[in-house]
Structure formats: structure tokens, C-alpha cells
Amino acid sequence: MNNEEMRGQRREFLITSAFVAGGVMLNGVAFAVGGAHSSVDDTIKIALIGCGGRGAGAASQALSTKQNIKLVAMADAFQDRLDETYQTLSAKFAAKVDVPQDRRFVGFDAYKKAIALADVVLLATPPGFRPMHFEEAINKNKHVFMEKPVAVDSPGIRKVLEIAELAKQKKLNVVVGLQRRYQANYREALKRIQDGAIGEITGGQVYWNSGGVWVKPRKAGQTEMEYQMRNWYYFNWLCGDHIVEQHVHNIDVANWAKNAYPVSIQGTGSRAWRTGKDYGEIYDNHAVELTYADGAVIYSQCRHFEGTANRVDETFQGTKGRTYLAAGGNKAVLWDHNGKEIYNHPTKDNPNPYQIEHDELFAAIAKGEFKFADAERGAKSCLTAIIGRYATYSGQVIKWDAALKADNNLFPEQLSWDAKPRLMPDANGLYPIPTPGQTKVI
């Protein structure tokens, strides 16, 4: 296909999206949402919502694709984060960054202003904001790349599932940053697993054991809202705990291998190493069992302990063999029960999956294709991780259906710098910690 044909397809695709926004019937569903952006040239305009490290990375990957991409708007709650990322991206992609001061938006409602100006939205704020930002993007007829996790509680998951259906009806592409789904060794191994190379999956183990992440100590003059948002990893309304924010990658691989979601989860966890007031409310270790409808159990473990053995990988056992997978090193090996190799993925010259996510998304958009509907799958793997947190915090066996219906919204009632989050510290600066046997989660 030549460039002129590609431009023509994309113009037709955007015109179709504009008709949808104006109320035209699509697959039997009428839409009355207005304001869809529809470029008439081949430039794909993007907006970055969330200008931290992952946001800068996502924008860099989008701007590194082969398509004619231009960053036209940015939004963040904090001026300093926006300014830093703007300087970084401008220096690296001078010809592709067109974000004058009046298209750099700061504040809790900044996302609405930036989303309105783009064809494609990159959502990379702390995940507690993801459902509301995703809803705005799809309501305004934008294609979406959104980082995982896509929510931190049951109401958030329900909202994402609702909007995921709307995105499919509108034929808006949505890619979720569970990048193992775009990594060559995982794609090749899981294709063979689902073709029956090692039989039915009867069990497995998935891990993210590491030394932990950053801490942002409290500064003089900060309100509680600003402190929690700066130190967002340690508060569940923003992060969901590291079983959700980080270990969801491995849990998603478990669901992928089973081609299913667990019906119940039980487990245990605690604060054993990370116990000070700088660490908010979250645990530093979780060990849970994911039980699927066919009786298969996959063991899931994550921890943040300094000075201990690290492990980030997945292994599964089937009725005909077993497999070992790891993102680091692009490893994927399948064996039969006699130890004979069925498949061994070449570890060299594999493309960067973070880049592939964007390469494939923007290629589809440029061609006028509806190809990616990751939101439902991403939401269900995130719910799996959230249920894991419910299980470790409560000490109870948590059923999937009950968890999905739970009314346990963690989001603050009001968003302002002076507003109080639902969780507040005591006089010593310590936060209430979940206690198994006492804490109720659903």
C-alpha cells in the first residue's frame, strides 16, 4: 500500500469516527457524543496524560513509531513533572513535539483539556485515576494506550469493563501496557501452549520478587493529598499495592496460559521488611493461590525485600509437559514429560515489547483498522490481582463473582489539594495497616 492510499484510509477512518460522534448508528448502537477530532491529513495527534517516568517512556515510544506522530497536548496534576517531561521529549523529538504553553495543562481536571485535542491518548497517571481518564477518552472518541493496572478496586474495574464495551462498539483501538502480550518469546510460547504442546495446564507458579521501588519522603508544607499523590505507590487508592501495580504482569501470564480467569483466590501477606511510615498502607509480600474452574491451581508470589533472592518469571505444568518463561533475557522453553525440548525461543535480536505495543497500535490507526481491544482482558487480569490483595488483607477465600460486585470504592470523595483522602495517618504519621481476620475488603 502506498502513502496516498494509507492517508486515504485514515481519512475515511476518522470521518467514520466523526459520524459516530454525531449520532450515526454503528452496529445497532446510536451515539450522541460530540467533539470528535478528525484530522484531514496523515498526522496522528497524541496527548499525554500523566508525565511521570512511565508517561515519558510511553510518549517516547509513540513518537518513535514509523507513522507521522505529533505530541500536541500534555496534562499532569503537578507542574514540575509536566515541565521536566516536556523538556525531555522536546530535546529528543524536537520535530514531533508541538506543545506550546497553552496546551500544557495542570491540575485534577487537566486531562479533559488535553484529551479533547488529540486523536490518540496515552494514559500513564497513577492507576487510581485510570477509569475516569479512560471513560473521558472513549466518550470523546479517542484511541487509547493505557498503562497497567487499569483500576485499583472493584468499582473501578466495573467502570473499565463498561467503557471497554463502548470502545469496541465505537471501533476505537485500546492497548493496555501488559507488554508481555507483545513480547516475542511469550507470543511464541503461549501460541504453542494454547495449541496443546504441553497439554492442559494443571498448575503453575508466577513470581515478581525484587528489592522494591522508590520512596518520596514527606516534605514540609505538603498537604496530605499532595503527599499521597507524590508517594503514590504506597496508597491503595492510587496504586492498588504492588501485587496489582507490578505483579499483575505475571498474573496476566497465568490467565493467558489458562485462557481463563480464576473463580476463587486465597493467600497470605504482610509487612515484614517495609514497616516505616514512609511506606503508607501496603504490604511488602503476597503469596496467593489462583484456583480456576477446572480445579487447576497456580501459585502467585511477589515480595519487596532488600538483600534477598530476586525472581521474576513464570512456569507452568501441563498434562503433556512443562514450560519456563521470563521477560528478562527473552526466555521461553517448552519440554515434554521426558525432558525433551519442544521449543526453545532464540534469546537474541528480539524487539523491545514496550516499543512493539506502540508500533502495532499506531500502524493499525494509520491504516484505519480496528485491531486492538485489550481493555476487557486487562481489566480482568487486574481484577485477579486485586482479588489477591483482598485475600491477603482479609485472610479469607475470595470468590471472583463476589469481588466483582463489591462496593468498596477507594477513591476520595473530593479531588483538591486541601481535600482529605479516605486513609489518613495517626498522630505519629503511621497509617492503618490491613489485619487478616479483622479487615473487611468486600
Side-chain angles (χ1 to χ4, degrees):
M1 179 179 296
N2 61 38
N3 289 338
E4 185 59 35
E5 288 173 329
M6 289 179 64
R7 283 194 292 270
Q9 280 199 7
R10 183 170 183 275
R11 282 195 295 270
E12 182 178 351
F13 186 46
L14 290 172
I15 290 169
T16 299
S17 294
F19 285 158
V20 170
V24 173
M25 297 293 292
L26 178 63
N27 291 339
V29 179
F31 298 100
V33 179
H37 179 81
S38 56
S39 300
V40 294
D41 58 21
D42 65 348
T43 302
I44 301 174
K45 298 179 180 180
I46 63 174
L48 175 62
I49 314 300
C51 299
R54 185 74 281 273
S60 293
Q61 284 132 17
L63 294 170
S64 297
T65 63
K66 296 178 181 179
Q67 284 67 44
N68 186 4
I69 311 292
K70 186 164 286 188
L71 179 65
V72 300
M74 300 171 67
D76 198 281
F78 294 107
Q79 184 75 56
D80 59 313
R81 291 197 306 202
L82 190 154
D83 290 344
E84 181 180 351
T85 294
Y86 172 75
Q87 294 298 329
T88 298
L89 295 174
S90 295
K92 187 176 180 181
F93 302 98
K96 294 186 174 185
V97 175
D98 179 19
V99 192
Q101 191 65 51
D102 63 354
R103 295 205 295 267
R104 298 177 222 161
F105 305 106
V106 175
F108 289 108
D109 64 349
Y111 70 100
K112 294 182 179 180
K113 301 170 186 176
I115 285 171
L117 300 174
D119 302 312
V120 185
V121 179
L122 312 179
L123 302 180
T125 61
F129 291 97
R130 197 83 72 242
M132 62 191 288
H133 293 172
F134 181 46
E135 181 176 30
E136 179 72 10
I138 299 303
N139 281 344
K140 293 297 188 290
N141 305 298
K142 314 301 180 180
H143 303 281
V144 172
F145 170 83
M146 59 177 171
E147 261 304 337
K148 56 75 212 166
V150 301
V152 298
D153 55 25
S154 298
I157 291 293
R158 291 197 299 272
K159 174 57 68 175
V160 172
L161 289 172
E162 172 193 337
I163 301 304
E165 283 301 310
L166 184 60
K168 286 191 287 187
Q169 292 167 4
K170 291 186 172 189
K171 298 189 182 301
L172 294 169
N173 288 289
V174 180
V175 166
V176 173
L178 292 164
Q179 76 277 354
R180 284 163 176 76
R181 297 272 182 168
Y182 294 83
Q183 188 162 344
N185 57 315
Y186 282 88
R187 283 177 160 180
E188 291 298 324
L190 269 296
K191 179 172 64 178
R192 288 165 171 79
I193 289 170
Q194 293 184 344
D195 284 344
I198 61 172
E200 294 294 321
I201 300 297
T202 57
Q205 301 78 36
V206 300
Y207 299 91
W208 194 307
N209 293 340
S210 66
V213 298
W214 47 265
V215 173
K216 302 290 179 64
R218 190 184 296 271
K219 293 183 179 180
Q222 284 182 325
T223 65
E224 183 62 26
M225 180 66 77
E226 180 180 353
Y227 170 70
Q228 291 193 18
M229 286 185 60
R230 293 281 189 183
N231 208 40
W232 62 268
Y233 204 91
Y234 300 99
F235 296 94
N236 284 325
W237 75 273
L238 290 160
C239 166
D241 205 314
H242 66 107
I243 190 174
V244 177
E245 199 283 332
Q246 189 178 65
H247 189 41
V248 66
H249 284 296
N250 316 99
I251 288 172
D252 180 57
V253 175
N255 291 338
W256 190 4
K258 283 297 297 176
N259 197 28
Y261 301 95
V263 295
S264 69
I265 299 176
Q266 65 176 349
T268 189
S270 69
R271 286 166 68 102
W273 192 91
R274 222 166 34 193
T275 58
K277 61 185 179 181
D278 286 340
Y279 303 113
E281 64 178 315
I282 71 171
Y283 280 4
D284 57 22
N285 66 98
H286 303 261
V288 304
E289 294 176 341
L290 314 176
T291 299
Y292 294 81
D294 64 359
V297 177
I298 293 178
Y299 174 71
S300 158
Q301 183 184 100
C302 61
R303 70 169 182 242
H304 283 172
F305 293 172
E306 294 286 352
T308 61
N310 292 343
R311 181 172 183 180
V312 183
D313 57 24
E314 304 88 19
T315 184
F316 303 104
Q317 298 80 46
T319 54
K320 294 165 55 179
R322 59 189 176 90
T323 186
Y324 174 80
L325 307 166
N330 299 298
K331 297 176 182 177
V333 187
L334 281 69
W335 299 270
D336 66 18
H337 279 324
N338 295 319
K340 180 182 178 181
E341 277 189 7
I342 301 170
Y343 177 74
N344 193 334
H345 187 80
T347 58
K348 294 183 179 180
D349 301 321
N350 285 271
N352 181 346
Y354 292 92
Q355 187 61 51
I356 294 299
E357 292 174 318
H358 293 269
D359 289 347
E360 295 186 3
L361 171 62
F362 283 96
I365 292 169
K367 293 176 183 177
E369 296 177 347
F370 173 55
K371 190 174 179 180
F372 298 102
D374 288 359
E376 178 181 351
R377 183 181 68 209
K380 289 181 177 179
S381 280
C382 288
L383 179 60
T384 308
I386 290 167
I387 297 173
R389 185 186 79 224
Y390 293 165
T392 60
Y393 281 12
S394 67
Q396 306 299 323
V397 177
I398 307 296
K399 302 290 187 180
W400 177 277
D401 290 344
L404 182 57
K405 296 175 183 177
D407 185 15
N408 55 359
N409 182 16
L410 299 178
F411 208 73
E413 295 181 0
Q414 179 183 353
L415 283 177
S416 72
W417 294 120
D418 293 329
K420 292 183 178 180
R422 294 178 187 269
L423 188 81
M424 296 291 289
D426 65 16
N428 297 316
L430 295 169
Y431 294 88
I433 306 303
T435 304
Q438 299 179 22
T439 296
K440 295 186 181 298
V441 293
I442 63 174

